[in-house]
Amino acid sequence: MSADRERLEALRRQIEHHNRRYYVHDDPEISDTEYDELLRELEALEAAHPEWITPDSPTQRVGAQPAEGFATVRHRLPMLSLANGFEAEEIHDFDRRVRERLARETGDPARAEQAVTYMAEPKLDGLAISLLFEDGVLVRAATRGDGETGEDVTANMRTVRPVPLRLDPAGAPGVGGTIPAVLEVRGEVFMRRADFLRLNEGLEAEGQRGFMNPRNAAAGSLRQLDPKVTARRPLSFFAYSVGHVEGGALPGRQSAVLDALRDLGLPVCPERRVVTGVAGCLGYYEELAARRRDLDYEIDGIVYKVDDLADQQVLGFVSRAPRWAIAHKFPAEERTTTLRDVEFNVGRTGALTPVARLEPVLVGGVMVSNAGLHNMDEVERKDIRVGDRVIVRRAGDVIPEVVGRAGGERPAETRPIELPAACPECGSHVERPEGEVVARCTGGLVCPAQRREALKHFVSRRAMDIEGFGEKLIEQLVDNGRVRTPAELFALDTETLQQLERVGPKLADNLVRALETARETTLARFIFALGIREVGEVTAQALAAHFRDLDALMAADAETLQSIPDVGPVVAEHIVHFFAEPHNREVVEALRAAGVHWPVPEPAPASPGDAVDEAAQAPLAGRTFVLTGTLEEMSRDEARGRLEALGAKITGSVSRKTSAVIAGADPGSKVAKAESLGVPVLGPEELARLLEGEDLLAEPEPEPTEGGSA
């Protein structure tokens, strides 16, 4: 081997060694300047001998050519989600279920009383990633995606410096003495707080928009089509588990697996810890919650995993989540900031909602500058004024809210928040009926805001489901005066649509086709799309099922309406008032004239008794289901509608009366509650079978007793 080639190999070994010292062990041996000198020397040698460049060389982290799009990757083993717990009681229940199931499945009753050893580690708020190493070399990286299929981001992950391009052979003893021929490592890509702030400062200095939070920054940086952009982003990585393995042996405990990954050169979370029993879990949780803000990365909870891998196999999975792990989520975060101003948004029904404009503050990893105030009753009850120091709360992805005024002396320059007398959108009179908390603009469809929101609701997926008519397009149509009522949508042609911004011939054709498709709908969807106050999907379905004819509904009085389930006095009055308004009747007739129609309803049952019999014949009549998590093949709304069409009742909470819980990805705590109550949990496959008519919940027929039936 030539001297140059020997020096090149030595440089690669040195650089990878220093990468591990810096990223894995957090104990660098040389300065950044010395590291850069080594890298420049290697780059010069490879430039002189390009035939010596290999994919795992440290110089190959600068990024490849931009991709046209990400290819898809099917995971050999699904990347599952975790059930969530929020209260200590839920962790006690989780621990009890683990012990009881281990006792039952192993046939050892003593295990129900034995403390379980758990691996506990922070739940990072980042992006889940699968790294595939073959013979120790990184060959593929893929996002979690839907758990079954992700995006191929190999070129981008090669630029993430904490991720080794080749595993360290010195770590082979921890995996049976030989690095596995195939090793899939799973972990989290994230961005540290200081790196996030520096990135946003740099983007804003260049006139670009910064990221909302470190998680979005990490996901957005990794999913760049140009790997050179990703290479400039300060991404970090922690490994947390192993997926598929071939030709190698892993330790028998989760904690030992992470130690082995660290020895192979992969960064793992330094805060991980082995704890004993539920007391150990909760103690670790309290400790990390107290130190949460001192960590240099965002976490939103703690993950507990049964440490013994053999026990994990015994416990198995429910739906798309393991029975041997749970995420213990932190409660909502609160911060204090200044209320700069209050503006009023006008909704579809004319309701004026106060929105707080805040001095920007980082809450739960997100920069918050706007927050909800609900209504004027809440403003008055909380005694909030413009200029006050206020407490802002954010929980998960929930819209931030102003909790109340912070303690201490009120600043002298504050001013009261007052309900405007005139609508901020159209100038119409604002009224607040006695006994109601909501103030409303009286302008109706004269008000551009109400018109915009009414049309957005009309075209929405749950209503008329007119594909392509998003918020921006509706706003253009209203602001340009081209559409004032829902019926006018159906008069749009390709020529008119092409006059709008960013609407070319192809999109215009697609929009016209979408309008044509939407002309055929259902009576329930049509009623819901009209936007009658307090008439939601369930009420619209009840009205359609009862009247079976729109004219009959339009002619109904309040007393008749109140005889229908889900329709009380207030809703009945809203319905009567809506159809008594001549303008609304004109819109309905214009929609019919535009060709909007629905299947001719079947004749109504001859008597109430017949209706009961008909309902009883529905395949899922008398069954109650709870939907939780994200379903892959259909939306939860579609699943709900199809189940209800089979006679099922859908509720939002689990009880002993629940027939089954249908769980998709990220199902939350409802699965755990179902298990504790003995309620069956069905996954997407079982849901499909249920919708096809298979009765998965049928009671088994009693076995005949000796001597025949009684």
Side-chain angles (χ1 to χ4, degrees), residues 33 75 122 124 243 265 270 273 298 303 336 372 408 475 477 491 536 594 664 673 695:
T33 301
H75 302 299
L124 274 73
R273 186 182 303 170
E298 294 287 343
V303 175
T336 303
E475 287 170 3
L477 290 167
K673 186 170 183 181
D695 191 353

Side-chain angles (χ1 to χ4, degrees), residues 121-125 284-285 288 292 298-304 327-330:
E121 59 188 327
K123 184 177 182 298
L124 274 73
D125 197 11
Y284 178 84
Y285 174 89
L288 263 291
R292 180 182 181 186
E298 294 287 343
I299 64 174
D300 58 4
I302 304 296
V303 175
Y304 311 122
H328 191 178
K329 303 296 284 289
F330 288 134

Side-chain angles (χ1 to χ4, degrees), residues 461-516:
R461 181 167 50 85
R462 297 180 181 181
M464 295 295 287
D465 192 20
I466 309 180
E467 191 173 346
F469 281 80
E471 291 190 7
K472 298 295 184 186
L473 188 64
I474 291 295
E475 287 170 3
Q476 278 196 72
L477 290 167
V478 172
D479 294 344
N480 294 344
R482 299 181 188 277
V483 174
R484 291 167 298 174
T485 71
E488 292 180 3
L489 286 168
F490 293 95
L492 293 171
D493 54 29
T494 56
E495 184 179 347
T496 302
L497 289 166
Q498 286 182 63
Q499 295 173 22
L500 302 175
E501 292 180 17
R502 299 185 179 181
V503 178
K506 184 176 180 180
L507 177 56
D509 285 340
N510 290 340
L511 293 171
V512 170
R513 279 198 294 271
L515 287 167
E516 187 61 36

Side-chain angles (χ1 to χ4, degrees), residues 30 205 265 276 286 288 307 366 407 411 427 462 464 516 547 628 658:
I30 61 175
T276 302
E286 295 298 334
L288 263 291
D307 196 38
V366 174
R462 297 180 181 181
M464 295 295 287
E516 187 61 36
F547 289 102
T628 182
T658 303

Side-chain angles (χ1 to χ4, degrees), residues 618-693:
L620 297 179
R623 301 277 174 80
T624 301
F625 295 89
V626 172
L627 295 166
T628 182
T630 303
L631 299 172
E632 295 175 19
E633 299 299 326
M634 67 185 79
S635 67
R636 278 168 58 176
D637 294 326
E638 183 182 351
R640 179 191 184 108
R642 293 182 64 181
L643 287 167
E644 288 176 337
L646 295 173
K649 180 180 179 182
I650 309 299
T651 62
S653 58
V654 182
S655 71
R656 295 188 186 277
K657 295 181 180 179
T658 303
S659 303
V661 170
I662 295 170
D666 301 318
S669 60
K670 292 177 182 177
V671 167
K673 186 170 183 181
E675 286 190 325
S676 68
L677 295 174
V679 173
V681 177
L682 307 181
E685 292 181 3
E686 289 88 351
L687 171 61
R689 289 162 57 192
L690 204 65
L691 295 175
E692 289 172 1

